[in-house]
Structure formats: structure tokens, C-alpha cells
Amino acid sequence: MNTSKLDATYRKFRWQIILATFLTYTVMYISRKAFAAAAPLLMEDLGMTVVQFGAASSIYYIVYGLSKFSSGLVADRINPRTFLGSVLILVAIINVGIGMTENVTMLLALYCLTAVVQGCGFPPIAKSISQWYSKSERGGWYSIWNTSHNLGGALAPLIASAVIAATGDWRYAFYVPAAITALQAVICFWLMRNKPETYGLPNVGEWKGDAKQIAINKRSEAGLTMWVMFKRYILTNPIIWLAISGDLCIYIIRTVTNDWVSVYFVKELGWDLVKSNSLVAWFEAGGIIGGLTSGIISDKLFGADRWKTILIYSFILVAGMVGVVLTIDISYLLVSGCFFVIGAGIYAPQMLFALGIIEASHADGAGAATGLKGGITYIGAALAGAPIAMIESAYSWNGVFMILGCIALILIVLTCSIIQLDKRKSQDTASNNKNKLASSEVI
């Protein structure tokens, strides 16, 4: 294959990958969030209690995390086209089943089954992005893909509300997303591709001439079994565990912000529902800006160093949290601006932790590494439910705010620890390479 044809093929497939993965995660969010959007009507129709709904949400987070972990272990061994296309078909079928159900038990069983299938979505996407985009450019591309979270999260309630308003039936809030998901399955089978080497293309690091990616490839041993690779490059990697702990902090703060904002501002401060819910919209808008800017900043200003960029956005997060405390009794606009800042400070580290974990593991271990991360960090989402309610009950909302402040400080400490450990690791690698070079010159 001549150079011009190779370049054209690579560029074509890369655009297909980013488009297919972006649309896939957007559509999966639309299907996933349909339950929450239709909850008030289906609770009334089927007689579901608030306790049942709350329990289902907590179980969902746990099952989703476990599914992410287990699917991550196998995602690195399966063609992502087959994996993602099959996942989308299953999501569509389950959504149709939820729409057809007539009792609470079956509804909750299908909802938990949705968590199992939805948890399989991210690992193959992480694998594809790591294989088609090299380290020095990956932050920018990943940040573009990452906005699919926000787009899907914003479209889900709009689509569900419009469909329910048009039909008067909550069931169509599941049928319509099911149809959209089935269509995306077809698009996914059409656009997705396996790794470049499958099509006679060079590794993306070689194609881009990216020394950082080539270094990752060189330190990644070939021919390892899944378990040996997982144990050697992921399970015993201290940087990955510190990063997962930092991401756990992010998920707790993010989930508390999403799930408890309207409760606090309506019940404690007397705000109306629309006004309080608008803070979540500001939060998501900030998340889009944070996600987009952080990847580009880490690529262009810090030489693809994800950890230093995370530290900057962690301080932005703390600034936003302090800002809410200081402005909460002064101005709605100031408070909403602070939620915008918090969104940027949440979604940027969330994206970069995933990217950093991928790059700290084996070159072919993106699925397993992100699967482990997802399995643990969604515990953070579960911790933002009943435990937060217990803290509020015992120590009021001031206790909740203090806990969140402490978690944010722990995030900063963990990130500083990663930076130091990564620096020491780089120095050791440079020293070892220098010694090898000196030895070869002597010989």
C-alpha cells in the first residue's frame, strides 16, 4: 500500500471510528436515561413505590459497575464491531420489554438487566479509541467523543418528555429509544472497525510517528494471556490504582451533584423545581466545556501529560464548590455560574482519568483497564445514595458539604501522588535506557 493510499485509508477509518463510538454512547445514554425520565408516570401506572425506585437505582449502579469490569476483561479479545453492535441490539430488545411490562417485579428485573448490557458499552469504545488515535493526539479526540455523555444526557429527558406528551403513554418513552438504538446497531456494524493491523495498516504510533505511543508499544509485551496481561500491567500497577481512587472521588461528587441538587434547593432553600433543576443544566454545560478543553490542553500544553491537567481542573472544582457556599444566598446567576465551573471541574478529570489509565496499562489492555476502573468507580455512584442520606440525617446538609470538601481535597492529594510517582517512573526508565546504551557501547 503506497503512502497516499495508506494515509487516506487511515483517515477514513478514524473518522468512522469517532463517529460510530460517539453516536453509540449518545444513543446508549438516551436508552439508559429513559427510565428516570418516565419514572413518575410508570410509578403511578404500575404502583411502584419510592423505596422500590430508590433501591432499583442503587442496584443499577452496582450491577453496571460489575458489568463494566467483567466486560472489560473480554473486550480486548473481541472485535469491537461485533461487541458494540450486539450490545446495542440487546439494549433495544430490553427497552421494548420494559415498555411491554405490566408489573413492578418484571420492570425492575429488566431495568437491572439493562445495567448488565449497558455496562458492556464503554470498554470496547475505549479499546477502539486507544488503537486508532496515538497518545500525543488522543486527548483532543477523546474529549470530542466524551461530549457524547452530555449530549445523550440532555437528549434523553427531551425525547422521553416529547414522546409522552405526544402519545400520553409512558411506554413509548422506551419504544422510541429502542428504535433509535436498533438503528444505531446497524450504523455501528457498518462503520466500526477492528484494530489497524487487521487491515494491513501500521500501528497508529508508527503511522503518526508518535514517540510516546511507540514507547507504550515497546514496553507492552506481546503474546500474553488475558490474565497475565491484566495482572502484570493493570492489577499490580500503582499508578492505575491511585488514578482509580481519584476517579472514585470524582464519581461521588458528580453523582451527589446530579441526584441531590433539586432535593436540597427545593426542600431546604425553597427554590421552585424548574429553577433548581436548571442548575443541573449549567453543570452539564460546564461539563461539555471542561471535557473539550481538558483533552486539548493536556495534548498541546503538557505533552499528553494527563495527571498535571487533572490537578489544574481539580483546583477549578474546589473553586466552584467554595463559590457555591459563598454565593448561595446572594444571586442565582452566581450560583449557576459556580455549577458551571463545578461541571468543568468534574467532567475534565473524569475523562482524563480514563485516558491516563488506558495509557498507563498495556497497549492492548484498554478494555481491561477501563473495565476495572468502571467496576470500582461506580461504587462511588452507589455511595452517593443511601450513605449521603444517612449523613444528612445525622449531621444535616453541613455534614454533607464537609464530606464533599474532604473528598475534593483527597482528590488533589491523590493526583499529586500520581504526578510524583509518574515522574519517578519516567526517571527510572530514562536511567535504565541510558545504562543499556552505555553497555552496548562498551560491547
Side-chain angles (χ1 to χ4, degrees):
M1 188 181 295
N2 60 50
T3 304
S4 60
K5 186 176 180 181
L6 186 151
D7 291 346
T9 303
Y10 232 115
R11 282 193 289 268
K12 174 187 174 184
F13 284 171
R14 278 156 56 99
W15 277 110
Q16 287 183 199
I17 294 296
I18 202 68
L19 179 61
T21 54
F22 182 91
L23 291 176
T24 293
Y25 220 68
T26 300
V27 166
M28 290 186 76
Y29 249 73
I30 290 172
S31 288
R32 185 191 310 176
K33 298 294 183 179
F35 188 83
L41 289 181
L42 66 86
M43 289 172 71
E44 181 180 346
D45 188 26
L46 299 181
M48 182 192 295
T49 66
V50 174
V51 173
Q52 287 173 322
F53 178 73
S57 297
S58 295
I59 293 171
Y60 184 97
Y61 284 130
I62 295 170
V63 173
Y64 182 85
L66 292 173
S67 174
K68 238 182 179 181
F69 170 61
S70 56
S71 65
L73 294 177
V74 299
D76 293 319
R77 298 291 188 269
I78 301 176
N79 187 328
R81 170 195 276 180
T82 304
F83 202 147
L84 279 180
S86 302
V87 165
L88 287 166
I89 290 172
L90 288 173
V91 169
I93 292 172
I94 295 170
N95 262 32
V96 171
I98 291 176
M100 295 175 66
T101 191
E102 296 290 345
N103 65 80
V104 174
T105 302
M106 181 58 70
L107 177 72
L108 295 180
L110 288 172
Y111 183 56
C112 291
L113 185 59
T114 300
V116 175
V117 181
Q118 287 270 356
C120 297
F122 179 64
I125 288 175
K127 171 188 173 181
S128 293
I129 293 176
S130 71
Q131 290 176 333
W132 285 94
Y133 302 91
S134 67
K135 179 175 172 63
S136 295
E137 62 170 353
R138 195 176 291 140
W141 286 101
Y142 198 86
S143 66
I144 293 171
W145 171 82
N146 196 62
T147 58
S148 61
H149 293 73
N150 309 95
L151 180 61
L155 287 176
L158 296 178
I159 292 173
S161 299
V163 168
I164 292 172
T167 63
D169 189 346
W170 62 265
R171 298 176 189 278
Y172 284 91
F174 293 94
Y175 294 149
V176 171
I180 295 171
T181 306
L183 175 61
Q184 179 55 29
V186 176
I187 294 172
C188 189
F189 278 119
W190 173 42
L191 292 179
M192 281 298 292
R193 292 292 183 270
N194 205 346
K195 62 183 180 179
E197 291 86 345
T198 307
Y199 309 98
L201 301 172
N203 178 273
V204 68
E206 297 170 8
W207 179 65
K208 294 291 293 185
D210 187 345
K212 290 184 172 67
Q213 183 63 48
I214 292 172
I216 293 175
N217 296 340
K218 285 182 177 180
R219 67 167 166 76
S220 301
E221 298 173 75
L224 300 179
T225 64
M226 180 183 70
W227 171 246
V228 171
M229 183 271 291
F230 181 67
K231 183 173 65 174
R232 188 173 299 174
Y233 286 88
I234 299 171
L235 204 58
T236 58
N237 189 330
I239 288 179
I240 287 181
W241 281 108
L242 286 170
I244 288 174
S245 300
D247 204 32
L248 180 66
C249 295
I250 286 293
Y251 265 78
I252 293 173
I253 299 173
R254 171 192 162 186
T255 309
V256 169
T257 304
N258 270 319
D259 293 355
W260 291 99
V261 162
S262 61
V263 175
Y264 174 76
F265 280 89
V266 171
K267 291 192 173 182
E268 298 295 319
L269 300 185
W271 289 25
D272 63 69
L273 189 61
V274 173
K275 184 179 177 182
S276 61
N277 280 334
S278 70
L279 295 177
V280 178
W282 282 100
F283 173 77
E284 293 291 344
I288 293 175
I289 300 302
L292 283 173
T293 56
S294 61
I296 296 170
I297 288 172
S298 68
D299 280 350
K300 303 299 183 183
L301 298 185
F302 294 102
D305 188 325
R306 315 306 175 194
W307 315 123
K308 291 176 183 176
T309 315
I310 288 172
L311 184 61
I312 291 172
Y313 280 90
S314 297
F315 282 115
I316 290 174
L317 169 61
V318 171
M321 294 171 70
V322 172
V324 170
V325 174
L326 296 177
T327 62
I328 200 165
D329 295 320
I330 299 175
S331 165
Y332 162 76
L333 287 177
L334 290 175
V335 173
S336 58
C338 290
F339 270 86
F340 181 92
V341 172
I342 291 173
I346 285 288
Y347 280 96
Q350 177 185 305
M351 185 200 80
L352 292 175
F353 271 127
L355 203 52
I357 286 169
I358 289 170
E359 294 166 349
S361 65
H362 192 281
D364 294 323
T370 54
L372 177 64
K373 180 193 79 73
I376 295 174
T377 53
Y378 266 85
I379 294 173
L383 289 174
I388 290 296
M390 292 168 65
I391 292 170
E392 189 278 330
S393 178
Y395 302 103
S396 78
W397 282 101
N398 289 333
V400 175
F401 297 148
M402 288 181 65
I403 289 292
L404 294 179
C406 290
I407 291 172
L409 293 177
I410 291 171
L411 168 65
I412 291 173
V413 172
L414 288 169
T415 306
C416 290
S417 300
I418 297 172
I419 291 171
Q420 290 302 313
L421 187 58
D422 190 48
K423 181 180 178 181
R424 195 178 309 127
K425 187 176 180 180
S426 298
Q427 290 173 342
D428 290 342
T429 301
S431 178
N432 290 336
N433 291 338
K434 187 176 180 181
N435 291 336
K436 288 179 182 177
L437 179 62
S439 299
S440 64
E441 289 176 350
V442 170
I443 294 172

